[in-house]
């Protein structure tokens, strides 16, 4: 039985001025766990920005559940069910953890009350009254993810969730994300440079190189393709 397509992407161009970043990015996904890997400058964040409407100079097709979303504003895309955890988290330093949920108001869905999210991210419960600026990097990332989930997205895009975090913090974050994945039917698109994190959060892997998708494999297959890992990610077999 085939699963309905959640996201369809066929980007022929995404540029900044005269600099073309994406040139041939074509893939589709169901409500699955998909990781996109690539070196710095490969076009990963531009791809996230194109899907979420933040990058306007994009040519091609981007559909969510069959509806064309290319050209829509980020707010419109969000209301169609695309959640986004951007690189750098973009939380509000002067707001408490609880206030990050309160400010969403009626956008929060009954399926994801704050207390349920605290069960998945228990570190946030202990810091619920703390200002975001006083949270650790890992806690800030958990807050950014929980905030995005609280509005009930059909697709959650996470851009470099492990960036700047210590290995032990990454382990805690991955464990929490896997708990979240098991508890939710939404699709997950995680963009990563950290191979280990991508393999632990996904069931399918794409590799983007110089603005093009060059690999599309099941995670278990990509995990053993040391030749591809070295060629496109610079990862040696010792990893």
């Amino acid at each position: 039985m085939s699963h309905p397509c959640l996201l369809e992407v066929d980007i022929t161009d995404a540029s900044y001025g005269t600099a073309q970043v994406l040139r041939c990015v074509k893939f589709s996904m169901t409500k699955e766990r998909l990781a996109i890997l690539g070196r710095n400058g490969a076009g990963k964040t531009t791809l996230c920005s194109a899907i979420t409407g933040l990058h306007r100079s994009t040519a091609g097709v981007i559909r969510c559940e069959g509806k064309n979303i290319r050209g829509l504003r980020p707010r419109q895309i969000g209301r169609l069910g695309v959640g986004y955890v951007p690189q750098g988290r973009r939380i509000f330093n002067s707001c408490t953890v609880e206030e990050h949920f309160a400010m969403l108001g009626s956008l929060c869905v009954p399926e994801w009350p704050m207390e349920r999210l605290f069960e998945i991210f228990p570190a946030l419960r202990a810091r619920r009254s703390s200002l975001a600026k006083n949270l650790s990097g890992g806690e800030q990332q958990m807050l950014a993810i929980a905030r995005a989930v609280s509005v009930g997205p059909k697709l959650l895009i996470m851009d470099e969730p492990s960036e700047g975090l210590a290995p032990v913090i990454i382990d805690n974050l991955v464990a929490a994300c896997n708990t979240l994945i098991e508890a939710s039917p939404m699709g997950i698109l995680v963009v990563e440079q950290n191979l280990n994190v991508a393999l632990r959060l996904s069931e399918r892997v794409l590799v983007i190189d110089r603005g093009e998708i060059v690999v599309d494999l099941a995670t278990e297959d990509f995990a053993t393709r040391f030749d591809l890992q070295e060629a496109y990610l610079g990862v040696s077999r010792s990893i």
Side-chain angles (χ1 to χ4, degrees):
M1 179 178 177
S2 61
H3 296 281
C5 185
L6 176 60
L7 179 69
E8 180 185 355
V9 175
D10 187 359
I11 296 174
T12 56
D13 177 74
S15 302
Y16 295 93
T18 59
Q20 186 180 38
V21 180
L22 303 178
R23 65 191 79 246
C24 183
V25 176
K26 184 174 183 178
F27 67 92
S28 61
M29 64 179 289
T30 60
K31 287 187 177 180
E32 59 185 309
R33 293 175 289 141
L34 178 65
I36 297 184
L37 285 158
R39 299 175 190 260
N40 275 335
K44 303 187 301 299
T45 293
T46 300
L47 175 58
C48 290
S49 297
I51 295 171
T52 56
L54 293 168
H55 185 76
R56 311 296 294 173
S57 301
T58 302
V61 174
I62 306 174
R63 295 192 182 99
C64 180
E65 293 190 321
K67 180 178 177 60
N68 180 31
I69 61 174
R70 187 183 69 81
L72 296 183
R73 295 291 179 182
R75 180 181 299 179
Q76 296 172 301
I77 294 172
R79 288 178 174 171
L80 288 172
V82 179
Y84 186 34
V85 182
Q87 188 177 25
R89 299 152 199 158
R90 297 185 193 174
I91 56 177
F92 298 98
N93 285 332
S94 60
C95 293
T96 67
V97 168
E98 288 184 329
E99 287 170 342
H100 276 79
F101 298 102
M103 71 174 65
L104 293 171
S106 62
L107 293 177
C108 293
V109 297
E111 295 82 6
W112 289 107
M114 182 175 65
E115 293 301 330
R116 185 185 182 194
L117 289 164
F118 284 169
E119 291 175 5
I120 295 174
F121 300 102
L124 295 181
R125 177 186 284 116
R127 306 298 303 276
R128 61 193 303 160
S129 299
S130 299
L131 295 178
K133 68 179 180 181
N134 295 328
L135 303 181
S136 68
E139 290 166 343
Q140 290 180 350
Q141 187 65 65
M142 291 176 189
L143 174 57
I145 294 170
R147 177 183 61 180
V149 171
S150 68
V151 299
K154 300 169 185 175
L155 170 64
L156 180 65
I157 300 174
M158 296 188 287
D159 189 5
E160 302 277 8
S162 72
E163 183 181 45
L165 302 182
V168 65
I169 303 301
I170 290 175
D171 287 342
N172 292 337
L173 181 65
V174 169
C177 285
N178 276 322
T179 300
L180 175 66
I181 289 166
E182 291 169 4
S184 171
M186 65 184 164
I188 304 289
L189 176 59
V190 57
V191 171
E192 262 293 348
Q193 193 172 353
N194 186 315
L195 173 62
N196 181 266
V197 171
L199 295 180
R200 292 164 67 188
L201 287 178
S202 69
E203 55 191 310
R204 178 177 157 216
V205 171
L206 304 182
V207 177
I208 187 170
D209 183 60
R210 300 178 184 178
E212 300 182 19
I213 298 294
V214 293
V215 174
D216 184 347
L217 288 173
T219 298
E220 60 182 10
D221 294 330
F222 186 75
T224 63
R225 290 297 303 272
F226 304 112
D227 56 330
L228 297 178
Q229 294 172 22
E230 184 166 4
Y232 294 117
L233 306 176
V235 177
S236 67
R237 186 164 183 168
S238 62
I239 298 295

